[in-house]
Amino acid sequence: MAAEVLPLAQLKLPSGPSPVTPEQRYWKSFKNQKSHTSTASWPISHISFPAGNANPSVLSTSFVAAAKANDLFAVTSGPRIDLFSIRKRELLKTIGRFDSEAHCGEIRPDGRVLVAGEDTGRMQVFDVAGGSRAVILKTWHVHKQPVWVTKWSPADLTTLMSASDDKTVRLWDLPSNDPTHVFAGHSDYVRSGAFIPNANGNLLVSGSYDETVRVWDARAPGAAVMTFKHADPIEDVLPLPSGTTLLAAAGNAISVLDLVAAKPLRLITNHQKTVTSLALASHGRRLVSGSLDGHVKVFETSGWNVVAGSKYPSPILSLSVITAGAGQEDRHLAVGMQSGVLSLRTRLTGPAAERARAAAAVEAALDKGSQAVDRLDAQRARRKRAAVTNKAMDLLGESVDVVIPSDLSGRRKQKLKPWQRHFRSGRYAAALDDVVDMAAPGYQPVTALTLLVALRHRSALREALEGRDEVSVLPLLRWAAKYMPDPRYRPVCVDVALHLLDLYGEHVGASAELAAQFQALLGKVSKEVEKAQMAIQTGGMVESLMLGMQ
Amino acid sequence: MTSDMEINGNGDTASLKRKREPKDDPALSQKKHRRKSKSKLPSAGDGHETGDSGLQKVNGDVELSDAPSPALLPKAVPWKVSKPMGGRMLDIDPIFSPDERHLIITYNTSIQVYSTEDSLLVRRIPLPVSGTEDVGEAVAVHIVSSSLSRCDPDYIWVACSDGRVWYLNWTSGEGADTPFRVEAKKVLDAVVDAVEINGAEEDVLLVLQKLTRSSAQIVAYNSHALSTASGKLLHTYDENPQYLRSAAGGRLIVATAKEAVHVGLLKPKKLASLEDLAYRFHSFDIPDIVSSFDVRHTTRTTKKGALELQAVDIAVGGARGAIYVYQDLLSKLPGESSAAPKAGTVQPRKYHWHRRAVHSVKWSADGNYLISGGYETVLVLWQVDTGRLEFLPHLLASIENIVVSPRGSSYAIHLDDNSTMILSTAEMRPTMYVSGIQSLVLGDRPSKDALVRRVWRPVDELTSPLVAAVNPRNPAHMFLCVGNGQQAAQTGATSSTPLLQVFDISTFHGVAKQAIARTNPTDVNITSEGAPVIEPTATKLAFSRDGKWLVSVDEWQPPERDTEAFLTGSKTPAEASRERKEIHLKFWEVGAEDDSLQLVTRVTDAHHTDQTEAIFDLAADPASSRFATIGADGMVRFWTPKLRRRDGLAATGPEGQPLRSWSCSRVVSLPTYEQQDDSAEVPPKNVSRSGAITFSEDGSILFAAFGPPSGGLVAAIDTETGEFRDVISGMLRGEIRAIKSLGSSLIMLSEDLVVYDVVSDEILYSYSLKETSEAAKRFTQLAVNYESRSLALVAPVPDQAQAKMKKGARSELVVLNIDEDEPQLVKTFPQLITSVCAAPSSSGFIIVDSAAQLWSVTEGSEQAPLLQSLADLGVDAVGVNGQSAGQELALQEGEASDEEMEDADQDVEMREDEEDDDDTHAVVVAPQRLAEIFDAAPAFAMPPIEDVFYQVTGLFATKPVNT
């Protein structure tokens, strides 16, 4: 029956013009950046990992399991391919057996072999599963120009495609020495290509410097089944998991192409320079793009609006959102740059995140000293005991009919913070001192605002400001002066300032610090008055303009 | 019902004056008032006012028919007013029946008996408290006490301040019509005890009555003496005692005056008649003003076999918060020989926790504990010997009365928010809860906190009407804006009503209470200076058409005493306070099942100029989910919901449901009535403007009335384009109160009630209000029912004696049909009406009055949707005459076959076979639930009989128990 004691609800201020959205928070949570510079700072041209193009609906279950168990991703830079561990974010081995610049190192979905092309036109398949050295399993030297794309089919293990500067796209079978299909039709270098999912490995797409995106069908040999002409050379193509929509990076725009209607849907022009790389994230519901302008942008895939973004110090050549775990959650945001730096940002979830937090807490405690470590240990022991008790209760639940929980509400009572306790018991001045302390660790201006507004609602503002000495008045004045320019804080700041003037105005002469602080307040206020006058003048001018228009 | 019609020969009622003009009035023969269609921009709407202002003065005309006035030609009135339900619980201890199965609660106009098993109303016994002939005196008449008869526990004695005493049988309701009358100027308190007279126990009523301003007397009556109105005078005081108790079969009576306790001990050992009753009185002073007290006694049997008082403990609660306990008082009082007690011999123990007056203090059954409560909303349990405290904190409102049950196993607690609960003493959990309408009432007695002068005074008048709305999705649920109890609400210039009570009018109990504005029930409710903390006032409430959305407006401004530091220049405190006003427009999503509200959007300063401006009116579009507001800035704003989007993605809630938010979709600036002399441009601040809006029935037009008292304009705004279709002038006189649209008619209420046909451009009829004082205007309200095409107007009846809406103010209800200019129903209510709502999906209206009573006004044969007590339903007899519930029900519902009913009955028995059958009532089915099933469609369009059968059994059958 009795009402529950709740802490004072935090004030909800009107959100500004660009509030932080959940999406932005999500992409901000990719942190803990790790940079890895390639040998001789070769630009990072390609990043790939096997699960990225595995299609579970087509592949067998063991195949999927293998893909999920995979711990490797491949980073192509110069004449080398580095293999990294997803779990540890560490370099495991390097494949350096290229005569010239390597391209498009791709690991097969089962994680056992890797294919890569190179500038000489040679294509090689390496065994990456065992041993520290990668063994060459197969070599083709059919292309006479640099091979830019080598990709494994999502449908079966032995099929792969290649695209080359010799204007052809080819389909290969692993055991045979010659391509099974050759698709000719591009009139310039083919620099990008992919298998289209949900097509049983029969449909291919390629983007070329002849400014076209062509769709090829292995069942219909000859010319491309579909051609999309663009205004700029195509840098990257990316089919969406549905298999009906294509994305193509052409110049500084990304075009959205509908394969069913055979027409372009939209042109995304958010980047300032050439878009070099496209990747999917969040189970195919987000598009991530990297550009030479150094920006990574995240788009949603229905209206193609930018939902998040970040800036990198160097032009971006390649990127990938590497997934891990059973749920294929986004784990790393890997960005390869012109400067040869590979940036890995990681988002931890579940137990991994907890472990990371615990490790961070230990680090922090060690920095602080032995007392903090003891406290941490005690806290851990307490948690452990609670967990044991809970487990005992769970087991108890098996044998008895009803377990009456010890506290009735079922959840822990929220603990009041010190200032909330002060406030509840009417020690308003103490509460105010707590929240306006800008040096305090948990300081938030909105907390101070919440308290001041609550004090005003309770007719206790003056009481909280009264009876202070020089030292305790100054933080309040400083606070009021700092937040006076914010329109959301202004009414309260004005009230506080008026009260302070009324209460302590007479002591200004006696204290230099007080005088200085009041002077600072005056400065802020006059600046605001100036701004307001400017706004009024502008308003007047615009108004007369509008009158003239009528 | 024709007797209700109070219309004189001119067609005037108590509050309305019929406007008539001679038939050959030249203005009337022109008939049409000026009107100008315009579809120009709003700015152009200003200049249209040219020389026909003289015409506007006379346009309140009516074309008279030659039919005689209705008063001369009585006709059948299709409208009827139900019996009132509810009321306000008085500050009188609730009574437990001796078997603790019923709780008898004294209301301001009735006695209501509730079952403690299931909190259901068993019987409502209305008492004609203020229904006496002389209305003038009725002002102060109120019930002062009610107590259970000691000889026959089926009866209670109820004393009224004007000297009437009822001897009521609460198990049957008899006796309400035949009060006894005692000769008294004013009865202050009364108490009943069983006194042994001539060997037989007999109820003796001890009445404390006022003699002069500073003297009072106690008179004893038995039933014989009551019928002859000649009691035995026991004692006369020089001061003015307020409370009276007796104990141990009349052997002891205790009366408390302002700062003194008078203890009377029965002198004779044996009584031959009432005349022998005589007491020896002692008195001693109390260090505080008495606000409550309780007496506890133990008796012992003497050697002769007679009972004798052994010990008497008195606990006195003071108005300043202390409790004084006098233990074993008998031994400390002087014997029969000495005349007066020596000063200092009677020393109390002092227990002080309460901050303010102790509203109630009671001994526990065993005498080891004291239970007290007051304004702090905390129930305090004192261990008397050690002074140890236990608390039950943060009850919902200040505690008014505490009663310990006869067995001592539970407490009945009456709270100031018009609710009573029974708490079990073992685990302090409520076992029964009765919650009435928590609207503000005009109280009978000042609060006990007012015994001491404080830095503020509670307001004793009603300043604003009750804000209420009925949920269209669930017509039984009425939403009322209420405060944290009467005393907490009436603290400032405007009442604090931060809560929304959901009240089910068919079962008549509060369903839920939710805060719609800032409120702090768990925090200290007074400032350190002792002034109350003022909470926001809800001023408007409206449901969307489908009942999924609720919009509320609340206001708050700091009290003027807080604004001293802000007075710069020539600013007055009122201005400084006004500058800091906070007005919020809030959009709530109403939960489908439980009427829970979830805040969706809060708009601060919805209407503003250089400061925030009042929102005059709020209207819901009857055709879509859209609202409109009109504010003091002369703008109409339309509000529509939209899917909340973030970067093009629909934002979703925790369960993935799409989130919506409300935003202003259109702003229309209203034209104002311009005075001819444009030179004197008055700043809008100094002119008090008013406004009202309403949507047309199809939602295509919004009618907005706005302007200064000198003359407002009504603009018809196309809701699609925002253009003006029409501007109508000259219809409004004085402050605009309301505007409603019904079909092609527009009903405008200012100082006149004008019904105007928009299509044919003529006034159908008009009335002018007789009472135009500020307070009266606020309580003049209008409601429109679309089903019956009727409108209800409530207005206070003019009363020269008082300018404020205090106790004794009355209201009149006038129901008019839109097509007929004669009122369908005119009725004066004994109380001020604070709210009138149209009942959705029915043709009637619901009225709430200042005594927290609910009235239903219905048309024709329609059933009032109000609760009927179990007695009225005929199911209260369970356990009294031993009939099983199922049989009773079968009698009630003749249509259902007997076998079915017996089956249902067996189900009940199987389910709770250990329990006593008599402990449960049969299912209570409100009559309109049946009506909903059977009147859903005309006979030829009824659903299959099987469906109807299952619907009916669904109502009556018990729900399966979830195991």
Side-chain angles (χ1 to χ4, degrees):
Chain A
M1 210 59 230
E4 194 186 349
V5 177
L6 294 172
L8 192 63
Q10 192 175 69
L11 223 56
K12 256 189 143 172
L13 294 174
S15 55
S18 58
V20 177
T21 63
E23 200 67 31
Q24 281 167 343
R25 269 199 297 280
Y26 178 83
W27 290 100
K28 279 252 168 63
S29 67
F30 285 84
K31 47 194 175 191
N32 217 344
Q33 174 160 357
K34 184 173 182 184
S35 295
H36 178 269
T37 310
S38 63
T39 321
S41 294
W42 286 309
I44 314 276
S45 62
H46 189 78
I47 304 168
S48 79
F49 73 105
N53 42 18
N55 193 339
S57 63
V58 179
L59 301 173
S60 68
T61 47
S62 62
F63 209 80
V64 175
K68 281 181 180 166
N70 173 68
D71 186 39
L72 292 178
F73 67 96
V75 176
T76 313
S77 58
R80 302 227 172 157
I81 292 176
D82 296 328
L83 293 175
F84 284 81
S85 159
I86 292 176
R87 223 167 287 134
K88 297 183 181 151
R89 306 201 298 177
E90 279 166 6
L91 180 65
L92 290 181
K93 52 184 133 182
T94 300
I95 303 169
R97 304 175 70 171
F98 298 98
D99 298 340
S100 57
E101 199 156 315
H103 294 294
C104 203
E106 285 269 343
I107 302 170
R108 200 165 66 173
D110 67 352
R112 303 176 75 89
V113 293
L114 176 140
V115 66
E118 63 180 297
D119 266 358
T120 59
R122 191 168 57 166
M123 291 163 62
Q124 285 170 305
V125 178
F126 302 93
D127 179 5
V128 294
S132 58
R133 271 183 67 84
V135 180
I136 300 174
L137 297 178
K138 180 92 185 170
T139 305
W140 291 285
H141 206 137
V142 178
H143 284 294
K144 296 299 175 220
Q145 299 270 344
V147 176
W148 280 84
V149 178
T150 49
K151 285 204 173 150
W152 294 99
S153 161
D156 67 278
L157 285 178
T158 56
T159 311
L160 64 151
M161 69 170 282
S162 69
S164 159
D165 279 359
D166 65 7
K167 306 171 193 170
T168 58
V169 178
R170 291 168 199 242
L171 212 52
W172 305 82
D173 193 25
L174 197 53
S176 60
N177 282 329
D178 290 311
T180 53
H181 293 80
V182 178
F183 304 104
H186 280 297
S187 55
D188 206 335
Y189 305 154
V190 186
R191 289 282 168 91
S192 55
F195 280 99
I196 293 179
N198 289 340
N200 212 9
N202 287 321
L203 281 179
L204 284 81
V205 61
S206 63
S208 154
Y209 273 26
D210 66 359
E211 301 171 357
T212 58
V213 170
R214 288 174 199 249
V215 180
W216 312 93
D217 193 341
R219 297 158 293 192
V225 291
M226 226 177 264
T227 307
F228 297 95
K229 179 86 177 89
H230 288 78
D232 288 295
I234 310 297
E235 293 288 345
D236 200 1
V237 290
L238 179 73
L240 287 194
S242 62
T244 56
T245 310
L246 276 180
L247 298 162
N252 52 13
I254 303 166
S255 61
V256 184
L257 312 170
D258 187 354
L259 287 184
V260 177
K263 63 174 185 186
L265 287 178
R266 221 193 126 118
L267 203 63
I268 307 167
T269 54
N270 290 73
H271 282 288
Q272 303 301 316
K273 290 187 181 169
T274 304
V275 181
T276 52
S277 184
L278 300 173
L280 288 175
S282 307
H283 303 282
R285 283 182 284 109
R286 297 287 178 274
L287 165 71
V288 186
S289 68
S291 153
L292 292 181
D293 60 8
H295 281 279
V296 167
K297 298 196 186 219
V298 183
F299 302 84
E300 44 91 15
T301 53
S302 54
W304 307 102
N305 294 292
V306 176
V307 294
S310 55
K311 171 88 170 83
Y312 285 82
S314 168
I316 293 163
L317 296 183
S318 58
L319 61 82
S320 179
V321 178
I322 295 162
T323 63
Q328 296 287 297
E329 299 291 332
D330 298 346
R331 175 63 54 85
H332 306 292
L333 174 64
V335 175
M337 284 169 273
Q338 171 83 53
S339 59
V341 175
L342 170 74
S343 150
L344 282 175
R345 290 185 182 175
T346 308
R347 175 171 197 273
L348 290 176
T349 49
E354 239 161 67
R355 274 199 301 279
R357 259 202 302 278
V362 171
E363 290 264 301
L366 283 173
D367 285 350
K368 275 185 191 163
S370 61
Q371 272 189 343
V373 177
D374 290 347
R375 250 205 319 278
L376 191 70
D377 284 346
Q379 194 184 358
R380 275 193 185 161
R382 209 159 49 235
R383 289 228 183 102
K384 208 166 182 180
R385 274 200 303 277
V388 167
T389 318
N390 280 347
K391 201 160 187 189
M393 283 296 272
D394 285 350
L395 292 175
L396 191 67
E398 311 253 309
S399 58
V400 296
D401 294 331
V402 179
V403 177
I404 299 163
S406 46
D407 71 325
L408 292 157
S409 56
R411 66 195 160 90
R412 264 251 189 91
K413 238 172 135 181
Q414 270 175 296
K415 215 173 164 194
L416 295 182
K417 295 204 177 83
W419 72 265
Q420 287 165 335
R421 273 202 300 279
H422 287 313
F423 178 68
R424 256 185 67 73
S425 33
R427 296 187 296 272
Y428 298 128
L432 192 57
D433 285 343
D434 272 10
V435 293
V436 297
D437 182 7
M438 284 188 260
Y443 168 75
Q444 271 188 318
V446 71
T447 313
L449 184 69
T450 304
L451 178 68
L452 284 167
V453 169
L455 287 174
R456 182 162 85 166
H457 286 157
R458 244 159 260 197
S459 307
L461 187 54
R462 195 177 179 85
E463 193 191 333
L465 299 173
E466 263 170 353
R468 286 162 178 272
D469 57 10
E470 195 184 357
V471 180
S472 52
V473 168
L474 286 176
L476 287 170
L477 265 174
R478 231 173 274 139
W479 191 89
K482 178 164 183 196
Y483 292 100
M484 188 74 84
D486 189 329
R488 299 174 298 182
Y489 288 70
R490 187 173 300 138
V492 162
C493 286
V494 167
D495 281 9
V496 169
L498 282 173
H499 272 302
L500 289 177
L501 274 174
D502 192 41
L503 287 167
Y504 304 107
E506 51 186 315
H507 304 299
V508 168
S511 158
E513 283 187 10
L514 203 59
Q517 208 43 250
F518 270 116
Q519 193 64 42
L521 185 66
L522 177 66
K524 285 268 185 178
V525 171
S526 18
K527 210 176 264 173
E528 286 305 300
V529 170
E530 227 167 81
K531 276 188 208 164
Q533 275 168 347
M534 296 254 291
I536 290 168
Q537 282 169 5
T538 317
M541 283 190 280
V542 172
E543 217 164 73
S544 59
L545 256 174
M546 298 299 285
L547 275 178
M549 279 166 70
Q550 283 176 359
Chain B
M1 290 305 284
T2 43
S3 60
D4 279 339
M5 301 293 279
E6 294 151 22
I7 308 173
N8 66 15
N10 290 328
D12 291 1
T13 72
S15 64
L16 294 179
K17 193 152 84 196
R18 184 68 189 271
K19 273 205 184 176
R20 284 158 197 275
E21 297 290 331
K23 269 208 84 171
D24 50 356
D25 191 314
L28 190 69
S29 57
Q30 293 176 10
K31 192 172 147 197
K32 305 300 168 251
H33 73 101
R34 196 212 53 79
R35 167 193 172 146
K36 204 189 240 170
S37 285
K38 21 175 77 240
S39 50
K40 278 187 262 169
L41 284 172
S43 58
D46 302 332
H48 73 275
E49 211 40 68
T50 48
D52 36 15
S53 53
L55 243 162
Q56 291 160 21
K57 292 281 181 282
V58 292
N59 58 12
D61 299 341
V62 151
E63 205 164 5
L64 280 180
S65 65
D66 287 337
S69 169
L72 310 174
L73 185 72
K75 57 180 178 181
V77 180
W79 289 85
K80 62 180 186 213
V81 179
S82 73
K83 284 194 287 183
M85 274 306 296
R88 175 89 195 171
M89 296 173 192
L90 288 181
D91 180 13
I92 294 170
D93 288 348
I95 304 167
F96 275 101
S97 69
D99 57 0
E100 291 191 16
R101 288 182 52 185
H102 294 97
L103 189 72
I104 303 159
I105 302 173
T106 311
Y107 280 73
N108 49 5
T109 55
S110 63
I111 303 290
Q112 298 187 10
V113 184
Y114 287 90
S115 156
T116 56
E117 293 289 339
D118 44 18
S119 312
L120 290 180
L121 176 64
V122 174
R123 182 167 287 101
R124 183 180 195 272
I125 308 166
L127 293 177
V129 174
S130 58
T132 46
E133 313 77 46
D134 40 352
V135 181
E137 272 183 37
V139 174
V141 174
H142 57 92
I143 296 171
V144 292
S145 94
S146 63
S147 37
L148 196 69
S149 163
R150 300 295 161 125
C151 295
D152 188 347
D154 284 352
Y155 283 85
I156 53 170
W157 293 89
V158 179
C160 189
S161 64
D162 64 347
R164 281 174 298 166
V165 174
W166 286 277
Y167 185 55
L168 293 172
N169 184 335
W170 61 264
T171 58
S172 68
E174 286 164 22
D177 310 326
T178 54
F180 297 108
R181 208 168 180 101
V182 298
E183 284 307 317
K185 201 168 158 200
K186 187 184 177 192
V187 175
L188 296 169
D189 201 356
V191 69
V192 173
D193 217 332
V195 179
E196 198 177 327
I197 296 176
N198 225 352
E201 290 216 330
E202 199 178 336
D203 268 355
V204 169
L205 182 73
L206 303 167
V207 177
L208 181 67
Q209 56 197 36
K210 196 171 178 174
L211 209 58
T212 64
R213 267 187 76 81
S214 61
S215 66
Q217 54 186 205
I218 300 176
V219 185
Y221 299 89
N222 60 5
S223 54
H224 175 71
L226 272 175
S227 52
T228 58
S230 57
K232 163 84 166 81
L233 178 67
L234 296 181
H235 195 65
T236 306
Y237 296 101
D238 294 339
E239 49 192 346
N240 210 339
Q242 293 290 337
Y243 307 105
L244 184 68
R245 294 281 184 285
S246 78
R251 286 179 185 82
L252 174 81
I253 55 178
V254 182
T256 56
K258 208 172 178 193
E259 288 184 316
V261 173
H262 303 274
V263 181
L265 292 164
L266 188 64
K267 268 193 274 190
K269 289 266 189 292
K270 280 229 163 34
L271 297 170
S273 72
L274 185 68
E275 291 302 313
D276 293 343
L277 207 60
Y279 288 87
R280 189 176 73 244
F281 276 91
H282 304 284
S283 71
F284 54 88
D285 285 348
I286 301 273
D288 197 354
I289 300 170
V290 178
S291 63
S292 60
F293 77 104
D294 192 32
V295 183
R296 183 178 174 275
H297 68 271
T298 50
T299 52
R300 66 174 165 223
T301 321
T302 56
K303 284 164 199 159
K304 292 169 197 162
L307 283 174
E308 182 183 84
L309 271 178
Q310 186 183 21
V312 173
D313 303 330
I314 298 182
V316 180
R320 292 180 181 87
I323 297 171
Y324 300 93
V325 174
Y326 297 86
Q327 271 183 317
D328 198 11
L329 193 65
L330 275 190
S331 62
K332 288 171 190 157
L333 288 178
E336 286 181 39
S337 50
S338 57
K342 294 181 286 293
T345 52
V346 183
Q347 281 301 332
R349 285 168 75 173
K350 184 176 172 185
Y351 297 86
H352 201 150
W353 180 87
H354 289 279
R355 220 173 279 132
R356 292 217 204 156
V358 182
H359 286 183
S360 187
V361 58
K362 282 285 181 317
W363 289 98
S364 71
D366 59 0
N368 290 334
Y369 285 89
L370 277 173
I371 304 109
S372 66
Y375 188 75
E376 301 85 0
T377 75
V378 179
L379 188 74
V380 188
L381 298 151
W382 308 79
Q383 201 170 16
V384 179
D385 291 335
T386 61
R388 211 179 102 93
L389 289 173
E390 277 179 66
F391 303 108
L392 182 64
H394 313 316
L395 296 174
L396 296 172
S398 70
I399 296 166
E400 291 292 291
N401 301 97
I402 302 167
V403 175
V404 182
S405 75
R407 288 180 209 145
S409 62
S410 53
Y411 306 132
I413 295 171
H414 164 216
L415 301 178
D416 189 37
D417 64 355
N418 206 12
S419 66
T420 297
M421 64 173 111
I422 295 181
L423 294 177
S424 62
T425 52
E427 62 256 10
M428 281 291 169
R429 301 217 154 252
T431 58
M432 172 221 178
Y433 185 61
V434 178
S435 166
I437 294 178
Q438 297 176 8
S439 66
L440 294 182
V441 300
L442 290 168
D444 295 313
R445 284 199 275 201
S447 159
K448 284 168 178 168
D449 287 315
L451 289 171
V452 186
R453 217 181 124 72
R454 300 193 184 273
V455 294
W456 60 283
R457 290 251 125 208
V459 188
D460 61 345
E461 56 162 335
L462 289 181
T463 51
S464 53
L466 170 70
V467 181
V470 182
N471 187 349
R473 199 154 34 160
N474 187 353
H477 281 189
M478 191 165 184
F479 286 61
L480 311 122
C481 295
V482 298
N484 279 313
Q486 172 95 3
Q487 293 162 29
Q490 286 192 310
T491 47
T494 53
S495 44
S496 305
T497 53
L499 299 172
L500 189 67
Q501 186 192 18
V502 183
F503 194 83
D504 192 318
I505 57 174
S506 63
T507 58
F508 222 83
H509 66 88
V511 178
K513 200 155 78 160
Q514 191 175 353
I516 55 166
R518 165 175 50 82
T519 178
N520 308 294
T522 60
D523 280 355
V524 179
N525 46 13
I526 48 174
T527 66
S528 49
E529 282 101 42
V533 173
I534 295 172
E535 294 179 340
T537 310
T539 56
K540 292 278 178 281
L541 202 62
F543 272 102
S544 71
R545 162 196 60 127
D546 50 5
K548 280 183 186 155
W549 301 97
L550 178 73
V551 182
S552 69
V553 179
D554 59 82
E555 297 181 355
W556 181 84
Q557 64 182 44
E560 289 178 13
R561 57 173 182 269
D562 290 352
T563 58
E564 272 170 43
F566 309 140
L567 303 179
T568 51
S570 60
K571 215 177 269 178
T572 63
E575 280 169 4
S577 170
R578 171 72 188 76
E579 273 177 9
R580 286 163 175 79
K581 193 165 191 159
E582 296 172 4
I583 300 176
H584 296 297
L585 176 70
K586 290 174 180 165
F587 295 86
W588 306 83
E589 189 166 10
V590 186
E593 294 93 36
D594 50 353
D595 281 334
S596 64
L597 300 177
Q598 201 184 358
L599 183 62
V600 173
T601 303
R602 186 193 69 187
V603 183
T604 313
D605 302 347
H607 289 268
H608 59 90
T609 50
D610 54 343
Q611 57 183 3
T612 179
E613 293 286 352
I615 297 174
F616 287 141
D617 203 1
L618 172 68
D621 188 339
S624 66
S625 284
R626 177 164 55 176
F627 290 92
T629 55
I630 183 170
D633 55 351
M635 302 279 185
V636 170
R637 283 174 186 269
F638 291 88
W639 304 88
T640 45
K642 61 176 183 198
L643 274 178
R644 209 185 293 174
R645 287 186 170 278
R646 263 192 215 111
D647 301 327
L649 294 174
T652 52
E655 277 100 50
Q657 76 278 23
L659 293 179
R660 279 163 208 281
S661 61
W662 287 75
S663 56
C664 181
S665 60
R666 171 164 290 128
V667 187
V668 178
S669 178
L670 290 173
T672 44
Y673 180 86
E674 292 267 313
Q675 257 82 15
Q676 290 308 307
D677 45 344
D678 316 32
S679 54
E681 201 172 295
V682 258
K685 239 185 242 176
N686 302 346
V687 186
S688 69
R689 299 197 274 186
S690 55
I693 45 173
T694 185
F695 278 95
S696 66
E697 256 181 283
D698 58 354
S700 62
I701 300 283
L702 179 87
F703 295 100
F706 181 72
S710 54
L713 299 178
V714 180
I717 303 166
D718 188 314
T719 55
E720 290 305 315
T721 62
E723 285 173 358
F724 291 108
R725 289 285 188 78
D726 196 1
V727 176
I728 307 158
S729 64
M731 292 287 174
L732 302 160
R733 188 164 65 91
E735 193 189 338
I736 301 160
R737 296 294 313 148
I739 180 168
K740 297 280 176 198
S741 163
L742 189 59
S744 65
S745 304
L746 199 57
I747 303 138
M748 288 162 276
L749 177 65
S750 52
E751 282 174 22
D752 298 333
L753 174 74
V754 179
V755 178
Y756 165 77
D757 192 307
V758 184
V759 175
S760 66
D761 185 21
E762 62 182 332
I763 291 177
L764 298 176
Y765 50 89
S766 73
Y767 287 87
S768 70
L769 294 178
K770 284 181 181 170
E771 176 72 45
T772 56
S773 75
E774 273 302 309
K777 269 195 282 188
R778 278 198 291 273
F779 282 91
T780 305
Q781 289 172 288
L782 181 69
V784 165
N785 193 310
Y786 294 114
E787 298 234 341
S788 57
R789 321 297 299 168
S790 55
L791 59 125
L793 175 80
V794 294
V797 175
D799 188 353
Q800 256 55 42
Q802 51 189 87
K804 290 178 169 179
M805 289 301 134
K806 292 191 175 179
K807 182 83 180 163
R810 292 177 303 149
S811 275
E812 186 183 51
L813 166 77
V814 179
V815 177
L816 289 146
N817 192 297
I818 194 70
D819 303 323
E820 291 173 46
D821 52 358
E822 298 300 342
Q824 307 266 310
L825 172 74
V826 177
K827 185 176 163 65
T828 304
F829 283 70
Q831 274 92 14
L832 187 70
I833 294 174
T834 55
S835 181
V836 58
C837 295
S841 69
S842 106
S843 58
F845 297 94
I846 298 166
I847 285 170
V848 183
D849 70 14
S850 67
Q853 295 183 115
L854 205 65
W855 306 70
S856 170
V857 182
T858 47
E859 187 186 25
S861 60
E862 197 171 90
Q863 275 275 357
L866 294 186
L867 168 82
Q868 287 175 305
S869 65
L870 295 176
D872 296 340
L873 293 173
V875 293
D876 68 309
V878 179
V880 177
N881 57 10
Q883 269 185 311
S884 88
Q887 281 163 349
E888 279 284 326
L889 216 59
L891 291 175
Q892 276 281 302
E893 176 59 347
E895 288 163 68
S897 74
D898 281 349
E899 293 103 71
E900 280 304 319
M901 279 302 154
E902 274 165 22
D903 280 351
D905 198 21
Q906 280 163 8
D907 280 348
V908 173
E909 281 175 4
M910 275 154 54
R911 190 162 55 80
E912 18 189 77
D913 40 3
E914 305 101 344
E915 271 185 17
D916 190 356
D917 241 5
D918 298 341
D919 279 353
T920 49
H921 290 292
V923 190
V924 181
V925 175
Q928 76 271 15
R929 297 250 182 256
L930 282 173
E932 275 168 20
I933 296 172
F934 288 110
D935 301 345
F940 57 85
M942 281 288 275
I945 193 70
E946 195 182 347
D947 289 1
V948 178
F949 171 75
Y950 283 120
Q951 281 174 339
V952 173
T953 47
L955 279 183
F956 283 96
T958 45
K959 304 262 180 318
V961 181
N962 296 323
T963 46

